[in-house]
Amino acid sequence: MGKLASNGCTTCEVIWRIYRRNLEKWFHEEDEDMECFEIAIAAKPLKGDPVSRIRDLKIQIVESGHETRKASSDFVVWAGPDIGGEKNPARQYLMPGMNPEVASAESFATALSWIRQCTQDHSCCPKPQSAVLPTRVIDVDIESTGPEMVRLHQTEGAHGTYTALSYCWGMPRQPVETTTTTLYTHMRESISMSTLPHTIRDAVEVTRRLGVRYLWVDSLCIVQDDREDKTREISQMRQIYSNAYCTISAASVSKVTESFLRMRSSHRDHVFSLPYVCPDGRYGTMMIGETMKLRDSVGWARMQFYDPYADPINQRAWTLEEKLLSPRILIYASGCLRWLCDSDECTDGGDPDARLDTQAERLPFRMQASGTGSPMTVGEEQLPALYERWRYILQDYTNRYLTKSKDKLRAISGVADYFHRLTSDQYLAGIWKADLVNELVWVRAKELRPRTPHKAPSWSWASVSNPVYFLGLHERREFYQCKILRCEVTPLSSIAPFGEAQSGILRLTGLLKHVPWDAETEVLLDSDGKSIGSAIIDAEDDRSLSASSRCLAVSALRRDDEESFYGPCGLILSPVSGGQNCFSRIGAFVTSDRLLFEGTQPEPLVIV
């Protein structure tokens, strides 16, 4: 068997690997050779597939006369690629393989079919329309500029259709940018395709293949060294991505100099091509990959099952709102081309059941929020679920990487604008006024880091550089006499109300009490020094403030039995200058002691 495997028999190589890994040890011990063994193969079809196409195989080897000497391995099975322009007949009976040629004519035909199905048949997806174009777009029309040139176009409020690019910069400055110096050159003399970085060049190619004339790319359509232009254009993110005919997501590349239209890797180390005799008598090819080997390699994430965490774009903060705001997205993922809209999620090949994009949640009520007119608010009974969705988004967002801390509020401002259109609520540096008591109790995750240097009220999650999560995201709460009197936030720019905050103040009444806590272990202590809960500090700078701190009770979460509540949770505050009972937030606490604030009377306070 070993000789046959080394001479090129792929089937023999698969069986020989199972033998060597699992059975060879017995024969080394007894100094004998395996003379005879049986092979059993079991196939598992795709779940719910009308033609019962095969997805999984189990191969078992048993030595004749030694039933305890056996070994087995599980394999993922998919149809081999087409060869010489001829369709592989095995595709009719096996799980389709992911198409690694994302720039092929077949792949673009698939993309166009997805777009056509969405725009014509999906009642829950907003229909594409000739919208007001962004301030500037890139004209990629070959008849206007030629195949090797593109031109920056000032739209002057005109209507039209455009695609938008979502991608990772991967560097502080791009090879080609629009600045105050290059603005008029880019508009009058055009831009050579050869000077553009690969990602943008690929986006031009995709836009042309989709039959769309205009493309929006931030580095070229925003004047990068003009602060006012930047602020104004970033404040338009909701409209830019919501109105795009389709967003092109360069998900698989980590920097703009890389091509997302490259051929995808097949990861041959753990994959074998075998002949396959179809039930109708035709001969085809099938690919098999040992399941555990693929799980242990990058190949598993990039072959037949989509893993969003394998794509660099899902690690970046700015790109989250671009994904959420876009009604239709072509995702050039690590393994193949994918599609995402409000009604469907598709992959160009691979397991149709493996819908593993855990970040594919769409924004709610898109039909109500679409357009540029007056807001269309949702019903009051829908608001709790809407605010809960906002908190989920923030947990994802704050776990992503952000190059500049000052962009903490700016990079999610488009989604904030979207929620404002649905709720008409006041936005307070990342927190909604009507949900203020719930959203105040955010908690730092991961290791302590310094507080962010840019301006944000201490009670806002935007004041820290850590990921955050919210206590009791969807549990019922009991509130501890915590009453908001007034909350005001002054934005840094009047044209960007959902962007950076200049200052903020929160006035309220509540139960305040000094409760000691240990800065090293982050444990809340009673008067005897025993643990009664957790004290999660916001930033490294706050470790030394235990002695002067006060705890503000905010709420308690309902227990699983639905009959009673846990102890209170709330904020840890430290006195600051600015008047009596003026504090800044330095952390959050949770305690099991339900009587901790017994006998405490509400008092007014200010948090800045």
Side-chain angles (χ1 to χ4, degrees):
M1 179 66 71
K3 289 181 179 179
L4 291 172
S6 62
N7 287 334
C9 175
T10 309
T11 305
C12 298
E13 183 179 354
V14 172
I15 297 169
W16 183 246
R17 285 194 179 196
I18 300 173
Y19 160 70
R20 290 291 301 272
R21 188 170 61 251
N22 299 286
L23 296 178
E24 191 178 33
K25 58 184 178 181
W26 286 307
F27 304 105
H28 283 168
E29 292 169 1
E30 301 176 13
D31 194 26
E32 59 179 274
D33 294 322
M34 178 188 275
E35 295 182 354
C36 185
F37 57 89
E38 299 173 356
I39 300 173
I41 300 177
K44 179 183 177 182
L46 280 166
K47 182 180 178 182
D49 191 72
V51 295
S52 297
R53 288 178 293 181
I54 296 172
R55 186 185 74 175
D56 298 300
L57 282 180
K58 179 185 283 292
I59 300 178
Q60 186 177 63
I61 305 173
V62 182
E63 184 195 357
S64 299
H66 292 274
E67 293 187 0
T68 59
R69 293 181 177 178
K70 59 184 177 181
S72 64
S73 285
D74 295 313
F75 293 83
V76 181
V77 181
W78 63 95
D82 299 331
I83 299 175
E86 294 188 12
K87 295 285 186 182
N88 178 8
R91 293 176 67 170
Q92 185 176 346
Y93 304 99
L94 301 176
M95 180 177 76
M98 283 187 173
N99 180 4
E101 299 182 50
V102 296
S104 65
E106 182 183 26
S107 184
F108 279 110
T110 298
L112 286 167
S113 71
W114 289 336
I115 294 173
R116 184 165 52 251
Q117 184 178 22
C118 176
T119 56
Q120 295 179 2
D121 302 335
H122 292 172
S123 59
C124 293
C125 293
K127 303 301 179 187
Q129 50 189 333
S130 181
V132 177
L133 292 169
T135 304
R136 304 174 196 91
V137 289
I138 303 168
D139 187 349
V140 303
D141 183 40
I142 293 177
E143 292 185 4
S144 300
T145 62
E148 300 303 322
M149 303 293 285
V150 294
R151 180 180 293 114
L152 187 64
H153 175 58
Q154 191 91 15
T155 62
E156 305 292 349
H159 286 62
T161 302
Y162 64 96
T163 62
L165 177 63
S166 177
Y167 67 112
C168 299
W169 278 41
M171 53 185 64
R173 298 290 301 271
Q174 290 202 20
V176 180
E177 294 180 344
T178 294
T179 64
T180 51
T181 304
T182 62
L183 175 61
Y184 292 103
T185 302
H186 287 176
M187 288 194 298
R188 294 175 181 174
E189 300 177 11
S190 300
I191 308 167
S192 171
M193 285 278 286
S194 62
T195 65
L196 293 176
H198 273 295
T199 297
I200 298 177
R201 213 180 309 163
D202 286 352
V204 172
E205 173 68 12
V206 173
T207 302
R208 286 172 172 172
R209 297 286 285 270
L210 296 181
V212 179
R213 177 168 183 171
Y214 298 118
L215 165 68
W216 188 88
V217 181
D218 57 0
S219 61
L220 294 176
C221 298
I222 298 176
V223 183
Q224 296 299 312
D225 59 351
D226 185 330
R227 181 180 178 84
E228 184 177 345
D229 189 79
K230 239 181 176 179
T231 301
R232 182 175 55 251
E233 295 306 306
I234 289 174
S235 71
Q236 300 299 310
M237 287 297 109
R238 178 188 64 81
Q239 295 94 316
I240 289 170
Y241 281 94
S242 295
N243 293 336
Y245 175 72
C246 180
T247 293
I248 302 163
S249 174
S252 61
V253 296
S254 60
K255 52 187 175 182
V256 72
T257 53
E258 298 173 344
S259 171
F260 66 80
L261 290 181
R262 71 191 187 285
M263 171 78 79
R264 298 308 190 252
S265 171
S266 60
H267 298 278
R268 295 284 178 179
D269 290 347
H270 304 297
V271 176
F272 304 92
S273 177
L274 299 175
Y276 178 79
V277 182
C278 303
D280 61 8
R282 292 180 296 166
Y283 285 85
T285 58
M286 69 178 184
M287 312 297 290
I288 69 170
E290 198 166 0
T291 304
M292 291 310 298
K293 289 291 184 182
L294 290 179
R295 284 189 187 276
D296 293 338
S297 71
V298 179
W300 179 260
R302 298 183 178 178
M303 291 179 62
Q304 306 314 308
F305 299 82
Y306 179 61
D307 176 10
Y309 298 103
D311 286 333
I313 204 166
N314 290 322
Q315 301 168 21
R316 298 289 299 178
W318 276 100
T319 55
L320 176 61
E321 74 168 9
E322 295 165 4
K323 182 177 184 179
L324 291 172
L325 292 169
S326 301
R328 286 168 291 277
I329 316 175
L330 273 177
I331 304 173
Y332 285 85
S334 299
C336 70
L337 178 65
R338 291 179 56 81
W339 169 261
L340 183 63
C341 65
D342 286 354
S343 302
D344 207 357
E345 182 183 352
C346 304
T347 300
D348 190 8
D351 185 355
D353 293 331
R355 301 163 70 89
L356 300 181
D357 190 350
T358 55
Q359 301 177 357
E361 299 93 343
R362 310 303 288 142
L363 285 177
F365 307 109
R366 192 183 300 275
M367 300 296 279
Q368 290 95 320
S370 61
T372 57
S374 58
M376 298 181 66
T377 56
V378 299
E380 188 172 342
E381 71 283 355
Q382 296 167 315
L383 289 176
L386 197 61
Y387 289 128
E388 182 179 308
R389 181 76 181 96
W390 171 256
R391 298 194 292 273
Y392 270 116
I393 289 172
L394 290 183
Q395 291 185 168
D396 182 358
Y397 172 70
T398 58
N399 267 284
R400 293 171 173 238
Y401 178 69
L402 194 63
T403 304
K404 300 177 181 178
S405 61
K406 68 178 183 179
D407 290 338
K408 193 89 174 202
L409 289 168
R410 297 169 73 188
I412 198 69
S413 61
V415 177
D417 186 3
Y418 180 99
F419 272 77
H420 173 69
R421 289 182 65 81
L422 293 174
T423 64
S424 293
D425 198 0
Q426 185 179 356
Y427 187 65
L428 303 165
I431 292 176
W432 295 104
K433 184 177 181 179
D435 195 44
L436 188 57
V437 178
N438 284 323
E439 294 181 30
L440 279 176
V441 191
W442 51 266
V443 179
R444 178 213 96 226
K446 300 185 178 179
E447 72 286 346
L448 278 170
R449 302 173 188 171
R451 194 175 290 275
T452 53
H454 66 280
K455 293 181 179 179
S458 68
W459 41 263
S460 167
W461 52 266
S463 67
V464 298
S465 55
N466 283 75
V468 303
Y469 63 93
F470 292 86
L471 290 175
L473 199 58
H474 52 268
E475 284 94 342
R476 291 179 57 191
R477 293 171 179 259
E478 177 185 66
F479 296 104
Y480 270 71
Q481 301 183 53
C482 182
K483 183 179 180 182
I484 307 297
L485 301 178
R486 185 160 62 98
C487 187
E488 296 177 352
V489 171
T490 304
L492 189 63
S493 171
S494 60
I495 62 174
F498 306 105
E500 294 176 81
Q502 183 173 348
S503 61
I505 187 170
L506 172 61
R507 298 183 183 274
L508 67 160
T509 59
L511 305 181
L512 273 175
K513 183 177 182 178
H514 172 67
V515 183
W517 45 273
D518 185 275
E520 293 302 319
T521 61
E522 295 189 301
V523 170
L524 204 66
L525 305 171
D526 65 10
S527 56
D528 296 325
K530 295 180 180 178
S531 171
I532 56 171
S534 299
I536 307 98
I537 308 309
D538 290 344
E540 185 69 42
D541 325 46
D542 304 327
R543 279 185 182 273
S544 61
L545 302 175
S546 173
S548 61
S549 68
R550 307 276 291 277
C551 286
L552 170 69
V554 176
S555 61
L557 308 180
R558 185 178 286 278
R559 289 181 180 272
D560 294 337
D561 59 14
E562 292 290 325
E563 298 299 325
S564 60
F565 288 86
Y566 291 98
C569 60
L571 310 184
I572 303 175
L573 307 175
S574 179
V576 294
S577 59
Q580 187 177 7
N581 271 12
C582 186
F583 300 92
S584 68
R585 174 190 156 132
I586 62 170
F589 74 89
V590 185
T591 178
S592 57
D593 186 355
R594 288 189 288 166
L595 302 179
L596 182 62
F597 288 86
E598 189 174 46
T600 307
Q601 297 300 313
E603 55 184 300
L605 65 147
V606 174
I607 310 176
V608 294

